[in-house]
Amino acid sequence: MPRHLPLFRDRRDAGERLAPLLRDLNLDRPLVFALLRGGAAVAAPIAAALGAPLVPLLVRKLGVPWHPELAFGALAEGMTEPVLNRDIVASCGLTVADIARVEASEAAELERRSRVYLAGGARPDPRGRPAILVDDGLATGASARAGLRALRAAGAAPLILAVPVAPQEAIDALAPEADRLVVAEVADIPFGIGGCYADFHQLGDEEVVALLRGTC
């Protein structure tokens, strides 16, 4: 039967659903990394439940110019090259110039967000510590893949990807990138990730900063 009701009230509800699944892993001194922006609201209750630091991770999706919601790759802080989905690049006929234009635009936004979200904030070193990367769902998985590779390069271990909802094919595609995947609901998302939430409002800068500071 088709699913008509949303799976989650909002991102906080999704994080509260994930928290006990992650607590059961009994990780030693984990760090909870939020993929900004949407992942911040999911990650906040997880970090609180685990008594773990909530750490922002900046990643920008690279969207097909005429279909921005379709990601052909992603760019993560600390990485000099984007992570590309070659199948989408080929199927959409994207040229080197197309990719360069989108990458330049998103790199500028990544820099802006770095100034807003990371200003004056020291972040813990993930080297040798369990890292839980949290987002609000998986579609193409481009952002999560870039985030996982950035954390792997930074020395985090083990590496856990935690998302409230993902289709099985996205889980299978991301499995090689993480040591463990934790998903609250394995489900198809015909209406996109937003269709899984009753409230999926876009988080603004002020709300994200408040979540990271624990005042929201």
Side-chain angles (χ1 to χ4, degrees), residues 32-59:
V32 176
F33 286 86
L35 270 177
L36 302 188
R37 300 181 187 173
V42 182
I46 293 172
L50 299 181
L54 176 58
V55 187
L57 185 67
L58 300 179
V59 174

Side-chain angles (χ1 to χ4, degrees), residues 57-178:
L57 185 67
L58 300 179
V59 174
R60 287 296 293 167
K61 178 177 69 177
L62 304 178
V64 174
W66 51 90
H67 187 3
E69 290 305 308
L70 177 60
F72 68 82
L75 186 65
E77 59 171 297
M79 297 181 68
T80 57
E81 297 291 333
V83 174
L84 299 179
N85 184 321
R86 298 293 178 183
D87 290 341
I88 293 179
V89 169
S91 65
C92 292
L94 295 173
T95 66
V96 171
D98 291 331
I99 294 170
R101 279 193 295 271
V102 175
E103 184 182 348
S105 174
E106 296 303 344
E109 176 62 13
L110 201 66
E111 177 59 30
R112 186 198 72 81
R113 292 189 180 192
S114 178
R115 293 193 299 271
V116 173
Y117 302 143
L118 308 183
R123 291 184 289 176
D125 186 351
R127 192 176 310 277
R129 293 182 65 174
I132 302 169
L133 180 64
V134 181
D135 202 0
D136 51 19
L138 285 183
T140 64
S143 297
R145 179 176 283 105
L148 289 167
R149 290 186 182 180
L151 289 173
R152 184 78 74 188
L159 193 52
I160 296 97
L161 174 63
V163 293
V165 61
Q168 188 61 54
E169 58 267 27
I171 295 171
D172 293 341
L174 267 293
E177 305 284 353

